[in-house]
Amino acid sequence: MRISLQRTGGFAGISKKASVDTANLSPEETQQLYQLLEAANFYSLSTKINAPANQPDRFQYTLTVEENNQQHTLIVGEAALSETLKRLIEWVNNTASKK
């Protein structure tokens, strides 16, 4: 499985990318990723979740999971992030920076 994250927007408008491939993870890290995806109900979420109102200078996140020749992409505004999606995004960022 491969998960890619892109953050766009913000005050400076700088894009940030991170990706993690389970082929390069320990079994424990792979299990953590699956648990985070399940906790966030990732595959059941609609492909776009908008923030409640127009909020300039906020981030927008694009998460894409590729597995078994299938792909699911989620685009979500910073203000619309659930706690479980925040944890998933933090995990991807932290894990990608270690690899």
Side-chain angles (χ1 to χ4, degrees), residues 40 45-55 58-61 63 74-87 89:
L45 296 172
S46 104
T47 57
K48 188 162 188 174
I49 303 172
N50 291 317
N54 185 16
Q55 299 178 341
R58 299 297 295 253
F59 293 119
Q60 179 170 292
Y61 297 91
L63 278 161
L74 169 67
I75 300 169
V76 60
E78 179 182 14
L81 284 173
S82 65
E83 285 303 314
T84 54
L85 283 173
K86 285 180 188 176
R87 286 195 294 274
I89 288 169

Side-chain angles (χ1 to χ4, degrees), residues 24-98:
N24 302 322
L25 299 178
S26 71
E28 293 81 16
E29 290 171 318
T30 299
Q31 183 64 29
Q32 286 174 351
L33 176 55
Y34 277 105
Q35 288 172 344
L36 288 165
L37 287 167
E38 185 176 323
N41 250 350
F42 183 78
Y43 296 104
S44 299
L45 296 172
S46 104
T47 57
K48 188 162 188 174
I49 303 172
N50 291 317
N54 185 16
Q55 299 178 341
D57 300 330
R58 299 297 295 253
F59 293 119
Q60 179 170 292
Y61 297 91
T62 303
L63 278 161
T64 301
V65 175
E66 300 170 76
E67 183 176 33
N68 299 327
N69 296 322
Q70 295 187 346
Q71 178 176 306
H72 184 72
T73 298
L74 169 67
I75 300 169
V76 60
E78 179 182 14
L81 284 173
S82 65
E83 285 303 314
T84 54
L85 283 173
K86 285 180 188 176
R87 286 195 294 274
L88 175 60
I89 288 169
E90 288 172 5
W91 186 91
V92 171
N93 276 325
N94 292 337
T95 303
S97 67
K98 291 188 243 176

